[in-house]
Amino acid sequence: MKHTLNIWVIGGDLRQVKLAQLLQNDGHAVHTFGLENTPESVCEGEETLMGVQRADCVILPLPVTGDGVVLNAPFAKGEIEVTHVLDALCREQLICGGRVDEQTLMLARERGLTVHDYFAREELAVANGVPTAEGAIQIAMEELPITIHGSRILVIGYGRIGRLLAHRFHVLGAKVSVAARKWSDLAWAEVFGYGVEQTDQLDGWLCGYDLIVNTVPTRVLDEDRLRELKEGCLVIDLASKPGGVDLQAAGRLGVKVVWALSLPGKVAPITAGKAILNTVYNILREQEA
Amino acid sequence: MKHTLNIWVIGGDLRQVKLAQLLQNDGHAVHTFGLENTPESVCEGEETLMGVQRADCVILPLPVTGDGVVLNAPFAKGEIEVTHVLDALCREQLICGGRVDEQTLMLARERGLTVHDYFAREELAVANGVPTAEGAIQIAMEELPITIHGSRILVIGYGRIGRLLAHRFHVLGAKVSVAARKWSDLAWAEVFGYGVEQTDQLDGWLCGYDLIVNTVPTRVLDEDRLRELKEGCLVIDLASKPGGVDLQAAGRLGVKVVWALSLPGKVAPITAGKAILNTVYNILREQEA
Amino acid sequence: MKHTLNIWVIGGDLRQVKLAQLLQNDGHAVHTFGLENTPESVCEGEETLMGVQRADCVILPLPVTGDGVVLNAPFAKGEIEVTHVLDALCREQLICGGRVDEQTLMLARERGLTVHDYFAREELAVANGVPTAEGAIQIAMEELPITIHGSRILVIGYGRIGRLLAHRFHVLGAKVSVAARKWSDLAWAEVFGYGVEQTDQLDGWLCGYDLIVNTVPTRVLDEDRLRELKEGCLVIDLASKPGGVDLQAAGRLGVKVVWALSLPGKVAPITAGKAILNTVYNILREQEA
Amino acid sequence: MKHTLNIWVIGGDLRQVKLAQLLQNDGHAVHTFGLENTPESVCEGEETLMGVQRADCVILPLPVTGDGVVLNAPFAKGEIEVTHVLDALCREQLICGGRVDEQTLMLARERGLTVHDYFAREELAVANGVPTAEGAIQIAMEELPITIHGSRILVIGYGRIGRLLAHRFHVLGAKVSVAARKWSDLAWAEVFGYGVEQTDQLDGWLCGYDLIVNTVPTRVLDEDRLRELKEGCLVIDLASKPGGVDLQAAGRLGVKVVWALSLPGKVAPITAGKAILNTVYNILREQEA
């Protein structure tokens, strides 16, 4: 990892732009393709994929594609097909991409290529937890007419996001409870000073909260539970599809729900780009070892 | 303070609405005047000031008036003159108001009335520090493309707001420095784990920050210092008029400055209303003692 | 778990004494055996094991035995054999014990008994992490001529104890670094604001610390690494046998090492007894479900 | 302050030893007198006071003397009289001492000397608050059979020590309440997330605590209040003479009280020496300005 690499960053949003800049700052020879229309100028934008053959490492966007066909490249001057990119790569290169779908994996395999999914790595998930947690705090501050300090907050789920969130609300002075299923998760929540609830036994205990943040991708907040919430209680759902809240019931009951997905790229693209950088470096280190 | 009081809340914004509700929750007989058009219904809105003579306690808004003539009452159905209110009060009543101006004090004195300024009390200033600090954090989260976690932040001034802010940024994972003049303030900042800078000697040390929050109402950030900031550094000015930042220079230099005043009523009116309530209760306790 | 149980607490140290008291406070019918000589009187001490047949639940000590033969019962008036106890129990009872050894398991199996090991449960391990971490802090405060605040501390290992320790040192104002092997552990340490080091690559980076706390049960601090420590650096080893420090080398080099084992029962027997109580309750709940 | 100074450190304990070493590390020419028998060798120990005339700055111990006659110099090989030292100094020198008594001030004045009291300075008091707070935590950890985490703690007084202590207990996971007299102190305690009590109205509210730490030098804990404490409640008194606890009543009632004075020099002499260093530097800077 001491030497200078030839790296291509292809497609993506502000995170990839930042990633390219950071790679260049670290002394690598960086080329970009499909980032033409970015707000700030990026290093050595290429007109074509000619020259990508000489790359040591190629970094595809997060996600690589939305539909399995077109590369996710909102800043490109035109549409780029995934196959157009894959056709230009060779098997000696380290190819990385984020949230790589089955279709792309298959297309790569057909060409003898391996795509390493940086988004599947634990350390990126942890690092992304920070902007997600901050994004949720920002939403809570924007929506609630009370301060986080002194408010009563329930965090459902005690995985990565749950931990980072409960910690932040706690240090900001909120009275935090955590709902989880596993005794060991509840034990962790307790040693960090939060109140604890069994997720199964939440019925009848939801009326005391000013804010409920869900991180669990199963229907935890159904109509019956939503009915319990006190007036003005805000619900933030961070769970990926299908989400953990019955949105229709919430609408009928007048409960305000903010379903917030993909926060890192939205609230802190630079931090998110840096997290991808660190993960790509880890992949490179492991390949060399 | 155990007994039931007859309390009138006259004019004001959402904070006064909340104040009235909280007083009623505590069992007092509450009447309002000049809060007709509030978004939510308020307890016993009166058409006139008839009956205010029977009040034990009268609470005027914050500020009482903007121009010394008209009561600050954005939810009133018509304009209310300060003298109209004062004429209806009597000297046995406990009269409270926020940020009471010289003109109002004089008008009151002419009628033999004393107006206690709840905004002048230290405990309200402290309590208001929390929504101010959270408001500043919200702005930082909204404006910056990086997370608070890991960012380098300078807080100028270590009074009430400076303390609450530095603490919050620190626990959210930022690298916080505090600039102050007094050795003892710097000693406090140090024992809480922040970096410290002499405000007089900031020149040449400003290029490392992602965010600078000023809390000092003197021109701390003049053109020379603004010129030092690194690209993308955000400045939040919490200082009351005339503020601490040379806004024209900032404009010329392309430095983004958010001058944020009166945050408590904007970001957390309910919390701010509750803080007024506690202060009024303290004034009542002292009158009784 | 709503009903009253007949519970016997047999043998053990102050933790079991506290456990018995807490069970009684919760309304259960509690009997003890082998806790005769405790400093404070315990509920219904029995002379013999007669009557233990009627117990719903029997709680053996932590560990059950030191040598596989004699029950761990420092407060008993005489020696009690493990088989003497097991012979008196019946298979319908819920039998719990701590750190149950192979020999005891076999003896129990021969009698058709199942012994549930409360010490093997994750939630007890987490709860015990708190007194362990506080015990380590106490040692550091006693031994070091500097404050925790401002000192540079390396925590080796980021499992349960490592997490709880790093957190505490950090909030007390120390500059904390964490050494771990897994990228994801390092990512966690980073999002909580600590410096990070790869355990494999510590050589050459150990001279800056005032305190090193090891939590990993492999020889992490060998002679070469100990030689790097700056004068006066304290080493606390929390790893179970064989420990992580070359004690002989440390002796030769004049490095002060405190090898601290089994802290919970020593520094906070009441808290430790309560943690066992909660775990036994969880086992009971699961049996009923 | 950029130039090299000639500094004499005369008498004192481990703090002065450390102070001398730190001054030397900073490049000053340092001489000591009355520190002969220190555990570790100190820079340029002098046999006599000859040469002290050439000193730019002379630092006397903390306190300068216990009885107004003999210098506080436990590491000296013989008794040193205060007048012996003062006779050797001249008025152009910056002379500093800690907790300078009336008698010494008078003796100095007679010789035309001014002694600057570093202990009287706010920034030293703040810095000393850290080792004091850590010392109190260490005592609590040593004496209590429960963890700080989860325990209920009352801190009486919200001055320097009270603030630093309440903060530390809070972040270690205790449930902290603060008792104070002023509304603004209570407001501060509240915004930092602690429970609050009026010191005047503590009667009847003391039975819930596991630990009470007093920082107020008036008799706050008299017999009636001590009688309220629950069994096993520990009292730590940090108040200077006459202390805040009726020790005789405590003895009669079997309440354990630890009266802990002068903790900085005992628990963290190096940190305490460094704090004196910083303060002396501030005095020097002010003299130059």
Side-chain angles (χ1 to χ4, degrees):
Chain A
M1 275 292 300
K2 307 253 162 56
H3 49 293
T4 298
L5 297 172
N6 183 326
I7 303 180
W8 281 59
V9 177
I10 301 178
D13 53 27
L14 276 177
R15 290 173 287 188
Q16 265 67 30
V17 174
K18 190 62 199 174
L19 175 62
Q21 291 169 338
L22 291 166
L23 284 164
Q24 197 169 43
N25 291 352
D26 284 353
H28 299 293
V30 180
H31 305 256
T32 65
F33 179 73
L35 290 174
E36 292 75 26
N37 301 327
T38 50
E40 25 186 334
S41 71
V42 199
C43 38
E44 283 216 52
E46 303 289 333
E47 300 269 310
T48 70
L49 283 167
M50 270 196 12
V52 76
Q53 300 258 3
R54 284 190 299 277
D56 302 299
C57 171
V58 175
I59 304 175
L60 304 176
L62 162 57
V64 173
T65 161
D67 59 3
V69 177
V70 179
L71 192 79
N72 169 25
F75 292 138
K77 58 175 184 246
E79 218 171 76
I80 305 168
E81 299 211 350
V82 174
T83 50
H84 176 63
V85 177
L86 294 178
D87 285 340
L89 306 183
C90 46
R91 62 180 69 190
E92 291 72 26
Q93 301 174 321
L94 182 79
I95 308 167
C96 301
R99 208 181 283 180
V100 191
D101 56 304
E102 267 313 309
Q103 169 82 352
T104 299
L105 280 177
M106 205 195 61
L107 292 170
R109 229 177 289 125
E110 287 171 10
R111 287 156 179 82
L113 307 172
T114 306
V115 184
H116 296 80
D117 192 341
Y118 49 77
F119 192 74
R121 292 179 63 104
E122 176 79 0
E123 73 264 34
L124 183 58
V126 172
N128 268 339
V130 174
T132 302
E134 290 201 7
I137 291 169
Q138 181 184 325
I139 293 167
M141 286 178 165
E142 287 166 350
E143 298 292 338
L144 286 172
I146 56 174
T147 53
I148 301 297
H149 175 88
S151 62
R152 283 153 302 178
I153 299 178
L154 178 67
V155 174
I156 303 179
Y158 201 59
R160 274 188 299 269
I161 305 300
R163 276 162 213 225
L164 292 168
L165 250 186
H167 173 69
R168 278 159 172 74
F169 283 133
H170 178 72
V171 294
L172 288 172
K175 294 183 189 75
V176 178
S177 290
V178 165
R181 277 175 215 281
K182 288 161 64 186
W183 297 121
S184 57
D185 279 348
L186 295 176
W188 271 112
E190 209 160 356
V191 298
F192 274 103
Y194 319 137
V196 292
E197 301 288 343
Q198 262 288 347
T199 309
D200 289 342
Q201 293 163 24
L202 279 174
D203 299 315
W205 295 97
L206 291 166
C207 62
Y209 298 104
D210 300 304
L211 168 65
I212 296 179
V213 186
N214 176 53
T215 70
V216 177
T218 55
R219 181 57 48 92
V220 208
L221 292 176
D222 57 17
E223 177 148 14
D224 282 348
R225 287 183 166 176
L226 289 169
R227 209 183 294 276
E228 283 188 42
L229 307 189
K230 77 168 178 186
E231 211 192 309
C233 176
L234 175 70
V235 176
I236 300 176
D237 192 3
L238 301 175
S240 51
K241 282 169 197 165
V245 184
D246 183 337
L247 291 174
Q248 293 195 314
R252 276 195 302 276
L253 294 164
V255 174
K256 173 136 205 184
V257 181
V258 179
W259 191 9
L261 294 177
S262 307
L263 287 173
K266 290 175 194 160
V267 302
I270 293 187
T271 303
K274 210 170 166 183
I276 295 174
L277 175 80
N278 290 336
T279 307
V280 169
Y281 278 164
N282 288 347
I283 297 173
L284 281 163
R285 277 193 206 99
E286 289 172 4
Q287 294 295 313
E288 286 181 4
Chain B
M1 276 291 302
K2 306 255 161 52
H3 50 292
T4 298
L5 297 172
N6 183 325
I7 302 180
W8 280 59
V9 177
I10 300 178
D13 53 26
L14 276 176
R15 291 174 285 187
Q16 264 67 29
V17 174
K18 191 61 199 177
L19 175 63
Q21 291 169 339
L22 290 167
L23 284 163
Q24 196 169 44
N25 291 352
D26 284 352
H28 298 293
V30 179
H31 305 257
T32 65
F33 178 73
L35 289 175
E36 291 75 24
N37 301 328
T38 51
E40 26 185 333
S41 71
V42 199
C43 39
E44 285 215 50
E46 303 287 334
E47 301 268 308
T48 70
L49 282 168
M50 268 192 17
V52 75
Q53 300 258 3
R54 282 190 301 276
D56 301 299
C57 171
V58 175
I59 304 174
L60 304 176
L62 161 59
V64 172
T65 161
D67 59 3
V69 177
V70 179
L71 193 78
N72 169 26
F75 294 137
K77 58 176 184 246
E79 218 170 77
I80 304 169
E81 298 210 349
V82 173
T83 50
H84 177 63
V85 176
L86 293 178
D87 285 341
L89 305 184
C90 44
R91 63 178 70 189
E92 291 74 25
Q93 300 173 322
L94 182 79
I95 307 168
C96 301
R99 208 180 283 181
V100 191
D101 56 305
E102 268 314 308
Q103 168 84 349
T104 299
L105 280 176
M106 204 196 60
L107 292 171
R109 227 177 291 125
E110 286 170 10
R111 288 156 179 82
L113 307 173
T114 306
V115 184
H116 296 79
D117 192 341
Y118 48 76
F119 192 75
R121 292 179 64 104
E122 176 79 0
E123 73 263 36
L124 182 59
V126 172
N128 268 340
V130 175
T132 301
E134 290 200 9
I137 290 170
Q138 180 183 325
I139 292 166
M141 287 178 165
E142 286 166 350
E143 298 293 338
L144 286 172
I146 56 173
T147 52
I148 300 297
H149 175 88
S151 62
R152 283 152 301 177
I153 300 178
L154 177 68
V155 175
I156 303 178
Y158 201 60
R160 275 187 299 269
I161 304 300
R163 277 162 213 226
L164 292 168
L165 250 185
H167 173 70
R168 278 158 173 73
F169 283 132
H170 177 72
V171 294
L172 287 172
K175 295 183 190 72
V176 178
S177 290
V178 165
R181 276 177 216 280
K182 287 161 63 186
W183 296 122
S184 57
D185 279 348
L186 295 176
W188 271 112
E190 208 160 357
V191 298
F192 274 103
Y194 319 137
V196 293
E197 301 288 344
Q198 263 286 349
T199 309
D200 288 343
Q201 294 163 22
L202 280 173
D203 298 317
W205 295 96
L206 290 166
C207 62
Y209 298 104
D210 301 303
L211 168 64
I212 297 179
V213 186
N214 175 53
T215 69
V216 177
T218 55
R219 181 57 46 94
V220 208
L221 292 175
D222 56 18
E223 177 149 11
D224 282 347
R225 289 184 166 176
L226 289 170
R227 208 182 294 276
E228 283 188 42
L229 307 190
K230 77 168 178 187
E231 210 193 311
C233 176
L234 175 70
V235 175
I236 300 177
D237 192 3
L238 301 174
S240 51
K241 282 170 198 163
V245 184
D246 183 336
L247 291 174
Q248 292 195 313
R252 278 194 301 276
L253 295 164
V255 174
K256 173 138 204 182
V257 181
V258 179
W259 190 9
L261 295 176
S262 306
L263 287 173
K266 290 174 194 160
V267 302
I270 294 186
T271 303
K274 209 168 165 185
I276 297 174
L277 174 80
N278 289 336
T279 306
V280 169
Y281 278 164
N282 288 347
I283 297 173
L284 280 164
R285 276 193 206 99
E286 290 173 2
Q287 294 295 314
E288 286 183 3
Chain C
M1 276 292 302
K2 308 255 160 54
H3 48 292
T4 298
L5 296 173
N6 182 325
I7 301 180
W8 279 59
V9 177
I10 299 178
D13 53 27
L14 276 177
R15 291 173 285 187
Q16 265 67 29
V17 173
K18 191 61 199 176
L19 175 63
Q21 291 169 339
L22 291 166
L23 285 163
Q24 197 169 43
N25 291 352
D26 284 352
H28 298 293
V30 179
H31 306 256
T32 65
F33 178 74
L35 288 175
E36 291 76 24
N37 301 327
T38 50
E40 25 184 334
S41 70
V42 199
C43 40
E44 284 215 53
E46 302 287 333
E47 301 268 310
T48 71
L49 283 167
M50 270 194 15
V52 76
Q53 299 260 2
R54 283 189 299 276
D56 301 299
C57 171
V58 175
I59 304 175
L60 303 177
L62 163 57
V64 173
T65 162
D67 59 3
V69 177
V70 179
L71 193 78
N72 168 26
F75 293 137
K77 57 175 185 248
E79 217 172 77
I80 304 168
E81 298 209 351
V82 173
T83 50
H84 177 63
V85 177
L86 294 179
D87 284 340
L89 306 183
C90 45
R91 63 178 68 191
E92 291 74 26
Q93 300 173 322
L94 181 80
I95 307 169
C96 300
R99 208 181 284 182
V100 191
D101 55 306
E102 268 312 308
Q103 168 84 351
T104 299
L105 281 177
M106 203 196 62
L107 292 171
R109 230 177 290 124
E110 286 171 10
R111 288 156 179 80
L113 307 171
T114 306
V115 184
H116 294 81
D117 193 341
Y118 49 76
F119 193 74
R121 292 179 64 104
E122 176 79 1
E123 73 263 35
L124 182 59
V126 172
N128 268 340
V130 175
T132 301
E134 290 200 8
I137 290 169
Q138 181 184 323
I139 293 167
M141 286 177 165
E142 287 166 349
E143 298 293 338
L144 286 172
I146 56 174
T147 53
I148 301 296
H149 175 87
S151 62
R152 284 151 301 179
I153 299 178
L154 177 67
V155 175
I156 304 179
Y158 202 60
R160 274 187 299 269
I161 304 299
R163 275 160 214 228
L164 292 169
L165 250 187
H167 173 71
R168 279 159 173 75
F169 283 132
H170 178 72
V171 294
L172 287 173
K175 295 182 189 72
V176 178
S177 290
V178 166
R181 277 176 214 282
K182 288 161 64 187
W183 297 122
S184 57
D185 278 348
L186 295 176
W188 272 112
E190 208 160 357
V191 297
F192 274 103
Y194 319 138
V196 293
E197 301 288 342
Q198 263 286 348
T199 308
D200 289 342
Q201 294 163 23
L202 280 174
D203 299 315
W205 294 97
L206 290 166
C207 62
Y209 298 104
D210 301 304
L211 168 65
I212 297 180
V213 187
N214 175 54
T215 70
V216 177
T218 55
R219 181 58 47 93
V220 209
L221 292 175
D222 57 17
E223 177 149 12
D224 281 348
R225 288 184 166 175
L226 288 170
R227 210 183 294 277
E228 283 188 42
L229 306 189
K230 78 168 177 185
E231 211 193 310
C233 175
L234 174 70
V235 175
I236 300 177
D237 192 3
L238 301 175
S240 51
K241 284 169 195 162
V245 183
D246 183 335
L247 292 175
Q248 293 195 313
R252 277 195 303 277
L253 295 164
V255 174
K256 172 138 205 183
V257 181
V258 179
W259 190 8
L261 296 176
S262 306
L263 287 173
K266 290 175 193 159
V267 302
I270 293 186
T271 304
K274 210 169 165 184
I276 296 175
L277 175 81
N278 290 336
T279 307
V280 169
Y281 278 165
N282 288 348
I283 297 174
L284 280 163
R285 277 191 206 100
E286 289 173 4
Q287 294 295 314
E288 285 181 5
Chain D
M1 275 289 301
K2 306 252 161 59
H3 48 292
T4 298
L5 297 173
N6 182 326
I7 302 181
W8 280 60
V9 177
I10 300 177
D13 53 26
L14 277 176
R15 291 174 285 188
Q16 264 67 28
V17 174
K18 190 64 199 173
L19 175 62
Q21 291 169 340
L22 291 166
L23 284 164
Q24 196 168 44
N25 292 351
D26 284 353
H28 299 292
V30 180
H31 305 257
T32 65
F33 178 73
L35 290 174
E36 291 76 24
N37 301 327
T38 50
E40 26 185 333
S41 70
V42 198
C43 39
E44 285 216 50
E46 302 288 333
E47 301 268 310
T48 69
L49 283 168
M50 268 193 16
V52 75
Q53 300 258 4
R54 283 190 300 275
D56 301 299
C57 171
V58 175
I59 305 175
L60 303 177
L62 163 58
V64 173
T65 161
D67 58 4
V69 177
V70 179
L71 192 79
N72 169 25
F75 292 138
K77 58 175 184 248
E79 219 171 76
I80 304 169
E81 298 211 350
V82 173
T83 50
H84 177 65
V85 176
L86 294 178
D87 286 340
L89 307 183
C90 45
R91 64 180 67 192
E92 291 72 26
Q93 300 173 321
L94 182 78
I95 308 168
C96 300
R99 208 182 281 180
V100 190
D101 56 305
E102 268 312 309
Q103 168 84 352
T104 299
L105 281 177
M106 204 194 61
L107 292 171
R109 227 177 291 123
E110 286 170 10
R111 287 156 180 81
L113 307 172
T114 306
V115 185
H116 295 81
D117 193 340
Y118 49 76
F119 193 75
R121 291 178 65 102
E122 176 79 359
E123 73 264 36
L124 182 59
V126 171
N128 269 338
V130 174
T132 301
E134 290 201 8
I137 290 169
Q138 180 184 324
I139 292 167
M141 286 179 165
E142 286 166 350
E143 299 291 338
L144 287 172
I146 56 175
T147 52
I148 301 297
H149 174 89
S151 62
R152 284 153 300 180
I153 299 178
L154 177 67
V155 175
I156 304 178
Y158 201 59
R160 275 188 299 268
I161 305 300
R163 275 161 214 226
L164 292 169
L165 249 185
H167 173 70
R168 279 160 172 73
F169 283 133
H170 178 71
V171 294
L172 288 173
K175 295 182 189 73
V176 178
S177 289
V178 165
R181 277 175 215 282
K182 287 161 63 187
W183 296 121
S184 57
D185 279 347
L186 295 176
W188 272 111
E190 209 161 355
V191 297
F192 275 103
Y194 319 137
V196 293
E197 301 287 344
Q198 263 287 348
T199 309
D200 289 341
Q201 294 163 23
L202 279 173
D203 299 316
W205 295 96
L206 290 167
C207 62
Y209 297 104
D210 300 304
L211 168 64
I212 297 179
V213 187
N214 176 54
T215 70
V216 177
T218 55
R219 181 57 48 93
V220 208
L221 292 176
D222 57 18
E223 177 148 12
D224 282 348
R225 286 183 167 177
L226 289 170
R227 210 183 293 278
E228 282 188 42
L229 306 190
K230 78 168 177 184
E231 211 192 310
C233 176
L234 175 69
V235 175
I236 300 177
D237 191 2
L238 300 175
S240 52
K241 284 169 195 163
V245 184
D246 183 336
L247 291 174
Q248 292 195 315
R252 276 195 303 277
L253 295 164
V255 174
K256 172 137 203 183
V257 180
V258 179
W259 191 8
L261 295 177
S262 305
L263 287 173
K266 291 175 193 161
V267 303
I270 293 186
T271 304
K274 210 169 164 183
I276 296 174
L277 175 81
N278 290 336
T279 307
V280 169
Y281 278 165
N282 288 347
I283 296 173
L284 281 163
R285 276 194 207 99
E286 289 173 4
Q287 294 295 314
E288 287 181 4

